[in-house]
Amino acid sequence: MVALFASQDEETLDSVLDGIGDAVCVTDKDMVFIAANKHFANFYGLRDPTHLLGRNALDVYPGFRQSVFYEACARTAQTGETTTRYGFSANIR
C-alpha cells in the first residue's frame, strides 16, 4: 500500500515518488509535468526526471492522445475526479 500526501517540501515529494516501484508523474490541469519519479523518466528514455518538469505531456509523448490512458487523464484534468479500470486510484486534492 502506498500513501501519497501533499507537501511543500520538494525533496520529500521526490523521495516519496522515487520510493514507489512504478512509473508515477504529477501534472497540472493543462497536463504540464509538476513532478515525476525516476521510473517514469526511464520510460521516456530519460535519466533525470527533472527534464520532464514544465513540459506538456502531449509534447513529451505525441501518441498520448491515442493511448488507453488519455481519456481518463483528460477527464481528471478537467474535473479533478479520478477513476481507473487498471488498479487503485484515489482523488487527492
Side-chain angles (χ1 to χ4, degrees):
M1 177 184 210
V2 175
L4 298 178
F5 58 93
S7 172
Q8 296 294 334
D9 181 354
E10 288 185 32
E11 282 186 36
T12 302
L13 177 60
D14 290 342
S15 177
V16 169
L17 289 177
D18 282 339
I20 298 171
D22 293 317
V24 177
C25 73
V26 179
T27 69
D28 66 11
K29 65 179 179 67
D30 297 317
M31 293 189 193
V32 173
F33 292 107
I34 297 170
N37 69 1
K38 61 187 173 191
H39 303 294
F40 190 84
N42 289 339
F43 182 79
Y44 289 101
L46 301 170
R47 298 186 72 163
D48 185 352
T50 62
H51 292 149
L52 291 164
L53 305 185
R55 297 176 65 190
N56 188 287
L58 296 170
D59 294 334
V60 172
Y61 178 34
F64 184 47
R65 287 187 197 276
Q66 288 76 40
S67 78
V68 295
F69 299 108
Y70 177 75
E71 183 180 319
C73 291
R75 184 175 41 254
T76 298
Q78 293 299 315
T79 67
E81 296 179 16
T82 60
T83 59
T84 182
R85 294 184 191 122
Y86 306 104
F88 176 78
S89 180
N91 189 5
I92 301 173
R93 292 181 191 229

